[in-house]
Amino acid sequence: MSERFNVLPVLRGHWKGLTDGRDTTRPRADIVARLSLLLPVAVFALMLGRGGRLAAPAALLTGVALMAGGMLSAFTHLSTLRLKITEWDSSGGASRFEVERGMLDETAAHLLTGSLVCAFDAAALVIGMNVGATKAGQLQGFWAALAAGLSSYVLIVFIFVIPRLYSAYVEINNVSSELNGFDRSKRRKG
C-alpha cells in the first residue's frame, strides 16, 4: 500500500493521545476517554436496529464540512504554536513547556483524526443521500446509522480537543488566575 494513503499513524497517534497527560514520565491510559469512543458504536447500532432516520441529512453534511474545515484550521494554528515552543526551547536542557508540548502533540492527532472522520462522514452522507434516501429526502437504514455514528465520533473528538487547546493556551500564555478557568479560586474584587 502506498504510504500516501496510510492513515494508521494518525489513528495510532489519536489512540495514544487518549492518556492522562499529567504524568509525562509514565502516561497511563485514560480509560473514560477510551470507553467514550464506544458511544458512536452504540449510536450506529441503535440507529440501525431501530430503523432510525436522519430528517435533514443535507444540514448534517453542511455541519460536517464546517467541522472538517474548523479542525484543519485549528491544526494549522496548533502547529504554528508548537513551532514557537520549539523555538523558545532551542537552548536545550529541560523544557518548561514539556506538558504543554505533549498536549499540543496529542491535540494535533485528535484534530487530524476528527478531520479524517469528517471526510468519511461526508462521503457516507453523500452516498446515502443518493442511494438510501426516502422520497421526502430523509436518510434511512445503514447510511443513516453510519452517518450518525461517525457524526457522534466527530462530536466526541471535538469535546476532547477543546479543553486541551484551552489548557495549552492558558499555560503557554501564563493567563492570570483571575481569568484562568482552571484556577478554582474565587475572583478578587478590585
Side-chain angles (χ1 to χ4, degrees):
M1 178 166 103
S2 173
E3 284 300 309
R4 187 176 316 277
F5 298 105
N6 186 4
V7 296
L8 291 177
V10 175
L11 299 176
R12 195 176 305 119
H14 171 59
W15 183 257
K16 285 181 174 183
L18 298 175
T19 58
D20 184 353
R22 292 175 289 188
D23 183 3
T24 57
T25 58
R26 287 186 3 194
R28 296 179 319 227
D30 186 343
I31 302 300
V32 173
R34 289 183 177 182
L35 286 175
S36 71
L37 297 180
L38 293 176
L39 182 62
V41 175
V43 168
F44 173 80
L46 276 171
M47 287 283 290
L48 194 59
R50 306 247 269 154
R53 295 176 183 223
L54 294 175
L60 183 57
L61 179 59
T62 302
V64 166
L66 287 171
M67 287 292 287
M71 286 184 175
L72 287 174
S73 176
F75 173 75
T76 61
H77 291 296
L78 187 90
S79 50
T80 301
L81 182 56
R82 179 65 165 84
L83 183 61
K84 288 256 187 232
I85 289 176
T86 302
E87 289 173 3
W88 293 336
D89 287 343
S90 64
S91 61
S95 170
R96 69 177 203 160
F97 294 114
E98 195 62 38
V99 172
E100 292 78 15
R101 185 183 321 232
M103 284 191 293
L104 293 176
D105 293 341
E106 171 192 331
T107 303
H110 294 326
L111 287 169
L112 291 176
T113 299
S115 297
L116 184 64
V117 174
C118 282
F120 289 132
D121 196 4
L125 284 162
V126 168
I127 292 168
M129 288 165 48
N130 285 289
V131 300
T134 65
K135 289 182 182 178
Q138 296 179 334
L139 193 56
Q140 63 184 2
F142 171 79
W143 295 107
L146 182 60
L150 291 172
S151 295
S152 61
Y153 195 94
V154 170
L155 178 62
I156 289 170
V157 169
F158 189 72
I159 292 169
F160 285 164
V161 165
I162 296 300
R164 287 293 197 197
L165 287 173
Y166 181 63
S167 179
Y169 172 83
V170 163
E171 293 300 320
I172 291 168
N173 293 297
N174 200 21
V175 173
S176 73
S177 62
E178 294 168 347
L179 297 175
N180 181 344
F182 291 103
D183 188 334
R184 295 178 187 234
S185 64
K186 292 186 178 183
R187 190 172 179 173
R188 288 183 258 150
K189 293 182 179 179

